[in-house]
Amino acid sequence: MMASFSHLTLNDIARQDVTCDCGLRHQTGIRAIHVGPGSLNQLPSVVADQLHPSGRPLRRDTDVLLLVEDTHTRQAAGLRVEAMLREDGWQVQVLCFEEEELVARMEEVERVEALLDGSIALLIAVGSGTLNDVTKYAAFRHELPFYIVGTAPSMDGYASPVAPMIVGGVKYALDAKGPEAIIGDIDIIRLAPRRLMAAGYGDVAGKCVSICDWKVAHLVTGEPFCETIANTVLEAADRCTANLDGLLRREPEAVQSVMEALVLCGLMMNYMKSSRPASGSEHNFGHMVEMGQLFAHEPVSLHGEGVAVGSVVSCVLYRKLLTIRPDREHALAALGRWDEDAWAREIRRLCPIGYEDVYHIEEVNRKNKADTVLPRLEQTLACWPEIQATARRYLPAPEEMARRL
C-alpha cells in the first residue's frame, strides 16, 4: 500500500511535526480540529485553552471574542455560537455582513480590521469560503489567532495557509496562516443548501487535476513534490466519490466524508506551505470565471462550481496531450512568432481591471520569455513519456468526471 497520512485522524495530522520521506518538514500550527455530529459543543473548551497573542491565557473579563458571520450563517450557527460563548462567561462582539453576494475583497477585510481596537483577542469566523478567507486574512495581518466554525462542506480552504482574495479586480492566493481551531458540526453542515454541498464535492473531485499538474511541474521544473501528500489527497477524494448517493441523501457519514476531505486538503496545503496539493489548472479556470463575472457585474459562481467545470476542461486538455508528441522545431517557431504587444492587448481585454498586476506577474515569472521557455522545452522533451504516464495515472476520462459532477 502506498504511503499516505490517511491512517491518522485530522487532529493527529494537524499536530504532527514530521520530516517526511520527501525531505520536507510538515507541520501546521493548528491546535484543534473537531469534525462530527455535535462538534460545536467542543467550542467552549477549545476557547478556554486558547492563549492570547502575548502568550498568556485568555481572560474573560478583558479579552473580547469577535464573531464574523453573515445573515445566513448567523441563523445556521452564529446565534448558537454567540449564546454558547456568552454563557461560558466570554465577552462577544459580532460583525454580521448583510450582503447577499459577499465577495472576499480588501474592502471586507478592512471592515473586520476596523473593529480590532486592541481588546479583540480572538476572531471566530462562522461560515465557509468568503467568511473564512476574510477573517483569516484580517487575523493574519494583525497577528491574531482565529477559528473557523464551518456551516457548509463547500470549499477546501478551512485549514489552508492562504487566503484567496480579489485585489484590484484580480484573484490572488495571498499568504496567510491556518486557523488555530476548526469546528465542523455535521448536524449543522448536513443542513446546508444542496448547491453548497455540490460545490464542495466539485472542489474535492478536481484534486486529481491538482495532483497531476503538481507532478508535471515537478518533472519539468524540479518543484518539490510529496508522494505521501498526493496519495492522502487522492484517497480522500475517492472516499467522497464512492458515496455520492449518500451525499445526495444528506447522510451524515457521506457529508462528513466530504467535510473531512475538504479540511484534509487544507492540511496538506499547510504541510507544503503551498496550494499545490489542492489547486491546479482547474482552480485557475474557476478563478478566471469569478473574475470575469465580477468584471461583467454578474452574480459570482460558487468557488467549487468553477473548479468542477475547470476539472472537466483540464481532463479534456490532458486527453489531447496524450495524442501529441512535442516537436522542438515547431516550438521554436512558435516562440519566434511570439507577439508581446498582442498578448498584452488580449490580457487587457480579458482583465479590464487589474491588468497591470497581470503584466507584473508575467515580468516576474517570465513564462513567455525565451530564457524561461527554452530550458522548460528541453526538459519537457526529455520527460515527455513520464508526463503522459502521469496524466494516465491520475486523471479519469472527461466524460467520467462530468458524470460524477
Side-chain angles (χ1 to χ4, degrees):
M1 184 175 184
M2 290 186 291
S4 78
F5 296 110
S6 297
H7 63 289
L8 300 173
T9 67
L10 293 177
N11 248 330
D12 289 339
I13 292 172
R15 293 174 177 175
Q16 277 208 130
D17 185 346
V18 60
T19 299
C20 181
D21 291 341
C22 71
L24 297 176
R25 180 184 179 189
H26 298 321
Q27 58 177 343
T28 71
I30 298 174
R31 194 166 53 81
I33 300 177
H34 297 285
V35 176
S39 292
L40 188 58
N41 295 324
Q42 302 295 323
L43 181 61
S45 62
V46 175
V47 174
D49 291 335
Q50 178 64 44
L51 297 180
H52 188 272
S54 66
R56 62 167 173 78
L58 290 186
R59 300 188 186 117
R60 288 174 171 79
D61 58 339
T62 58
D63 296 325
V64 179
L65 316 182
L66 176 63
L67 303 186
V68 183
E69 51 197 38
D70 64 25
T71 53
H72 301 292
T73 65
R74 182 164 178 76
Q75 293 302 316
L79 289 169
R80 186 175 163 194
V81 169
E82 182 181 357
M84 184 179 291
L85 293 172
R86 290 191 188 279
E87 288 171 10
D88 204 41
W90 295 102
Q91 299 181 64
V92 179
Q93 188 171 348
V94 177
L95 170 60
C96 183
F97 289 96
E98 296 184 356
E99 291 85 347
E100 191 63 32
E101 294 286 341
L102 190 63
V103 178
R105 301 173 301 180
M106 289 309 300
E107 293 90 330
E108 282 68 34
V109 173
E110 289 165 358
R111 285 176 63 181
V112 176
E113 291 179 325
L115 301 176
L116 305 182
D117 58 3
S119 66
I120 303 295
L122 172 66
L123 284 72
I124 302 177
V126 181
S128 56
T130 298
L131 289 163
N132 179 54
D133 295 331
V134 168
T135 309
K136 176 189 300 183
Y137 197 56
F140 171 70
R141 298 218 306 180
H142 290 260
E143 298 183 340
L144 291 169
F146 96 98
Y147 295 177
I148 174 69
V149 175
T151 57
S154 57
M155 56 90 217
D156 66 1
Y158 283 113
S160 81
V162 298
M165 301 286 297
I166 299 290
V167 182
V170 178
K171 189 155 191 175
Y172 297 93
L174 300 179
D175 289 337
K177 68 172 186 176
E180 296 219 3
I182 301 169
I183 306 293
D185 192 324
I186 300 304
D187 294 333
I188 294 171
I189 289 170
R190 66 188 291 264
L191 301 178
R194 181 167 170 173
R195 184 183 176 193
L196 293 179
M197 288 200 279
Y201 176 70
D203 205 348
V204 170
K207 299 315 177 196
C208 57
V209 177
S210 310
I211 299 298
C212 185
D213 286 350
W214 187 19
K215 180 66 173 183
V216 169
H218 170 70
L219 293 170
V220 174
T221 72
E223 179 181 320
F225 179 83
C226 178
E227 196 80 33
T228 305
I229 286 178
N231 294 338
T232 303
V233 169
L234 294 173
E235 288 172 14
D238 288 344
R239 286 194 295 273
C240 297
T241 299
N243 202 2
L244 283 179
D245 288 342
L247 186 63
L248 290 170
R249 293 192 293 268
R250 300 178 182 269
E251 293 175 0
E253 296 82 3
V255 175
Q256 183 160 337
S257 70
V258 173
M259 185 65 183
E260 288 182 341
L262 293 168
V263 173
L264 183 66
C265 288
L267 290 171
M268 296 301 98
M269 288 189 276
N270 217 315
Y271 267 10
M272 286 301 298
K273 300 299 180 276
S274 161
S275 62
R276 269 299 197 189
S279 177
S281 53
E282 80 296 338
H283 270 68
N284 290 339
F285 179 93
H287 292 165
M288 283 301 299
V289 168
E290 292 170 47
M291 288 192 291
Q293 291 165 333
L294 284 170
F295 298 150
H297 304 289
E298 297 173 352
V300 178
S301 300
L302 293 174
H303 170 74
E305 293 173 334
V307 169
V309 177
S311 299
V312 179
V313 171
S314 293
C315 287
V316 169
L317 295 175
Y318 267 110
R319 181 162 65 178
K320 181 178 181 181
L321 197 76
L322 296 175
T323 68
I324 65 176
R325 182 180 181 85
D327 178 86
R328 181 180 286 101
E329 298 308 315
H330 176 80
L332 291 174
L335 184 61
R337 294 192 302 270
W338 174 252
D339 187 334
E340 189 77 22
D341 291 337
W343 176 84
R345 288 193 297 273
E346 181 67 359
I347 291 299
R348 187 163 186 167
R349 183 185 72 82
L350 290 170
C351 300
I353 302 170
Y355 57 85
E356 298 95 340
D357 290 338
V358 180
Y359 296 163
H360 175 69
I361 291 170
E362 169 55 23
E363 288 302 315
V364 172
N365 292 336
R366 301 182 65 80
K367 70 179 185 300
N368 297 319
K369 304 295 193 291
D371 60 350
T372 301
V373 171
L374 292 177
R376 290 188 177 187
L377 169 62
E378 296 305 323
Q379 181 60 22
T380 299
L381 291 169
C383 65
W384 188 249
E386 291 177 86
I387 291 174
Q388 291 184 305
T390 296
R392 292 190 183 98
R393 173 185 177 185
Y394 289 120
L395 299 181
E399 294 85 359
E400 171 59 19
M401 177 67 79
R403 184 194 67 78
R404 297 173 188 174
L405 295 167

